[in-house]
Amino acid sequence: RFIGLEDVESPSILGHCNGIVCLSPCSDNLVLCNPAIKEIKLLPKSSLPDWWGCAVGFGYDPKSKDYKVSRIASYQAEIDGLIPPPRVEIYTLSTDSWREIKNNSLETDTTCFFPDYFQMYFQGICYWVGYEQPKQSVEYEDEEQKPMVIFFNTGDEIFHNLLFPDSFYMYEEGSSYAYEMSYLMYCDLRIILWNGSIALFGFNRFSVFPDSYGVWVLDDFDGAKGSWTKHLTFEPLMGIKRVLE
């Protein structure tokens, strides 16, 4: 159903596409907002059981010519320490309903992939900064998480993942973990558009400079894989505390 802008309290923006914005108000509901006509559509409640964490993406499916909201729910480790794989549901605007789908490439025999921070939608694909986590683990320990890009094709409804550039990772030697510990050399990572291409933007936390920013462009991307090329570096700017996209 449609409600007015005045009925939404303290909303946060989750994503936008073709002039439509996906918002998350204080409640568990999601809403789609069309600012041009000042209307908001309240989405139905989720059919998934209560989750420990939840990631949301919003985009347009050029195949079905429909808007889709993806919700990826994660759950706490079970008594035996095994982390359950994420569960995924898709909202389709034309049907105004949610449906659960298979998690489609969000797990292997030993690990799970968890989208975390939704970044953007571009040409049929939703992008998150996320991580890979071993299933046999201890409550989502950060040092066991391998950060990466996770993306979702709105047409075939399949997830894919792509590691950051090799220079992003710093591994701890002699780790006792079965899953190799890794740390990111860069933080405040953003997935952005750079001259029509997908790119990564972030700053080097171990640089000799206070804030050394870099941009890496995704080359030869076919919707499932690609490679990164460092494009440029920004050195510190006097008086500038944060770089905007």
Side-chain angles (χ1 to χ4, degrees), residues 100-116:
E100 186 172 359
I101 66 170
K102 293 182 178 180
N103 62 28
N104 287 337
S105 302
L106 281 180
E107 67 173 317
T108 68
D109 290 339
T110 58
T111 67
C112 293
F113 300 90
F114 294 97
D116 201 353

Side-chain angles (χ1 to χ4, degrees), residues 36-85:
I37 57 178
K38 297 182 180 179
E39 285 190 339
I40 286 183
K41 181 173 180 58
L42 179 67
L43 274 59
K45 289 186 177 295
S46 170
S47 59
L48 294 177
D50 292 340
W51 50 73
W52 175 79
C54 184
V56 175
F58 172 60
Y60 180 74
D61 176 7
K63 292 183 179 179
S64 64
K65 295 180 171 54
D66 209 345
Y67 290 92
K68 293 180 177 180
V69 178
S70 51
R71 192 193 325 251
I72 306 97
S74 55
Y75 297 87
Q76 288 183 306
E78 299 170 350
I79 297 177
D80 59 3
L82 191 66
I83 293 179

Side-chain angles (χ1 to χ4, degrees), residues 124 150 243:
I150 296 176
V243 178

